Structure formats: structure tokens, C-alpha cells
Amino acid sequence: MNISPSEAEEALASIQAMMTKTRRAISSSGAYIFLIIWGIIWLLGFLGSQFLSPAITGYAWAVLDTLGGILSAVFGIRMGHGVRSSSPFLSGKRIGIFWLLNFLYCIAVVAVSWPTGGKQMAMYIILFVMIGWIAMSLLISFTSIWPGLIITVLALVGFFLLPGIFYMWMAVLGGGGMIVLGLYIRSRW
Amino acid sequence: MADLNETIHQPVRLRTMAALVTLKPDEEVDFTTLRNLLGVTDGNLGAHLRKLEEAGYIAVNKTFVERKPHTYISASTEGRKVFAEHVAALESILKNK
């Protein structure tokens, strides 16, 4: 079978385009969507915590977290739809149960240490979300471990060394960083 | 230098294999999702899948999910190997032009 160089070039371009389309549509690289969603939520929520009164901030976080949960569920279902894996680690049901337990353990820790300040509570949530992220990365995609570790270190630096601007720190570096990372992963894939 | 694979080179089958090898080795894709990705009709995709299955390049797994029939497709080890060889052959044509 013989083809011209231009036909070969066309075929390779077609392969590349299809691979990119597949990765974006159905492969696990779709995780960038969650980074962008939660990056926006952290950006808005932590900016609110820095500049608004605690009463308003509490409601804002409740609305933002609910919105984030709904959007994550919708995108998660859409991502998982159409592709299945024989690996038991990648079962959507197990991942869902893991995140539910992670959430319940976070509530338990907050309850045990109550009364607790806003910054401590924010740190509990950040640490539980990040340990969940890292655990999933270890099972699904090892390279995804780095954003989790970097955000954890940034959060700890802000909490211990920059308490006066902790919320602002988390909004820009935590939320902003997640958005930039999400956009970077999307463009790279 | 590896030869071009005539079975894979047909445009729809080429794009089908490109989509399937992008998945992880333990993953398989639903027929409807693959059809939507490729933008082809059920009949057209079905015919091309049969050719790829007969060649041993893909595995077709018919099963029931919540009492509804579902067809899942994945690239076989042999399919991944010949696809990689086909891509290498295309690249060598470009290098030698």
C-alpha cells in the first residue's frame, strides 16, 4: 500500500485530532474541569471571607459549596458516562463512597475540635480535600499528586506565616492556582 | 520500516482506532459514545467495527447494564501494536519525502 506524503500528513493530523477530542471528551484528563470549578469557588469564597462580614460569608460559602457539589456531580456523571474500566480502583461507586466518607470524617473532626475559628475550619476543609485528591491521584494518575501537595504547602504557609492575609492568600494562590492549573492541563492535553 | 496497514488506514477505522488507543488498556467505551465522538451513523460504525474485530484489533463486549443491552469496545493488545506501527509508517513517509 502506497500513499503520498500529503496523504500521510492528513492521516496523522486526523489521528492527532481524534486523540485530542477523545481525551477531552471521555478520558480521565477531564479532571481539569474540577480544578477550574473549585478554583473559582475558592477564589470567590476566600475573597468573601477576607472582605465581608462573617455572617454573610457563612451563607456565601454554603451557596458556593452547594453549587460546586452539584456542578462536580453533573460533570462527574457526564465524564464517567460511556467509558468503563475493569480496574476495581476506578469504580465510580467506590470513588463516590470515598469522597462521602472523606466529607463525613471532615465534619467529625470539625465537631470534635469545636469551637473552632474560621481559619482553622478552612484549613480542615482544605486538608481533607487535598488528602482526598492525593489519594485519588495515587490510584488513578500519579502525576496529579503534585497540585495537591503544592496547594497543601501553600495553605500551611499562609495559615502559619501569613495569618493576616490568609484568606486572600488562599483566594489568589489556592483558587487562582487551581484555575490556572486547570486551564494549563486543558491546553496541554 | 513497518508497512501501512490497509485495514486501519480507512478514515473511519483510523479515527476509531485513534479514539480507542487513547483510552487506558483496562478501559472500554460505549458504542453510542464512540459513535458520537466519530460523528458517524450506527450502521456505518457497526460495519467498520466488524472489520476491526475480524482482524483482531478490537474487542467487542456485549453486556447488560441495568437490564439494557450495551456494547462496549476496546482496543486489543494486537490492535494497539499495529496502530503504533501504522503511525510509525505514516511518520516515516513524511520523513522521507
Side-chain angles (χ1 to χ4, degrees):
Chain A
M1 181 185 183
N2 289 313
I3 61 168
S4 68
S6 67
E7 283 174 308
E9 196 168 9
E10 213 171 275
L12 285 169
S14 163
I15 289 168
Q16 195 55 48
M18 199 62 222
M19 285 178 150
T20 303
K21 190 177 179 184
T22 306
R23 283 196 191 102
R24 288 192 177 156
I26 58 181
S27 80
S28 53
S29 70
Y32 71 85
I33 291 169
F34 300 106
L35 277 171
I36 294 173
I37 290 173
W38 286 99
I40 292 169
I41 286 168
W42 279 25
L43 182 69
L44 297 176
F46 282 119
L47 280 178
S49 297
Q50 183 76 44
F51 296 111
L52 301 175
S53 72
I56 297 172
T57 308
Y59 287 117
W61 270 113
V63 171
L64 286 169
D65 284 339
T66 307
L67 192 64
I70 293 168
L71 286 174
S72 298
V74 169
F75 280 106
I77 291 164
R78 278 185 59 190
M79 258 178 66
H81 183 73
V83 178
R84 68 177 193 175
S85 168
S86 57
S87 166
F89 288 128
L90 298 178
S91 147
K93 193 176 170 187
R94 285 187 186 206
I95 291 172
I97 292 170
F98 169 82
W99 279 105
L100 178 65
L101 287 172
N102 188 280
F103 175 68
L104 293 174
Y105 269 73
C106 182
I107 290 176
V109 168
V110 171
V112 167
S113 58
W114 196 264
T116 183
K119 289 190 186 73
Q120 279 87 356
M121 193 132 96
M123 275 307 294
Y124 287 143
I125 294 167
I126 291 165
L127 290 174
F128 270 90
V129 169
M130 286 305 125
I131 194 66
W133 176 279
I134 290 165
M136 289 295 103
S137 303
L138 286 170
L139 294 177
I140 298 169
S141 163
F142 189 77
T143 48
S144 302
I145 203 172
W146 297 110
L149 289 174
I150 291 166
I151 291 169
T152 304
V153 170
L154 287 175
L156 289 169
V157 167
F159 183 80
F160 287 112
L161 302 179
L162 305 161
I165 57 160
F166 173 67
Y167 293 129
M168 177 71 97
W169 174 264
M170 285 313 300
V172 176
L173 290 177
M178 283 162 81
I179 295 169
V180 170
L181 186 69
L183 293 173
Y184 171 72
I185 291 171
R186 189 186 188 284
S187 67
R188 196 177 145 220
W189 278 78
Chain B
M1 183 185 100
D3 289 333
L4 288 170
N5 184 305
E6 283 192 47
T7 306
I8 285 183
H9 193 67
Q10 194 283 335
V12 175
R13 293 199 285 272
L14 186 72
R15 290 168 63 232
T16 303
M17 287 304 294
L20 294 177
V21 299
T22 305
L23 300 176
K24 291 175 184 167
D26 61 0
E27 286 180 336
E28 49 188 5
V29 65
D30 176 62
F31 181 92
T32 310
T33 306
L34 185 61
R35 182 202 62 198
N36 293 343
L37 263 174
L38 295 165
V40 294
T41 63
D42 282 0
N44 194 359
L45 179 58
H48 288 299
L49 289 180
R50 265 194 298 281
K51 289 239 177 197
L52 290 170
E53 189 184 15
E54 281 164 11
Y57 299 159
I58 63 166
V60 177
N61 179 12
K62 292 184 179 182
T63 184
F64 282 86
V65 178
E66 293 169 358
R67 295 183 188 176
K68 289 178 189 165
H70 274 256
T71 301
Y72 287 93
I73 303 115
S74 59
S76 66
T77 308
E78 173 68 8
R80 286 177 183 272
K81 183 174 155 273
V82 295
F83 182 78
E85 286 170 358
H86 185 74
V87 170
L90 289 171
E91 284 169 344
S92 73
I93 290 170
L94 277 186
K95 275 181 198 159
N96 298 329
K97 77 174 174 179

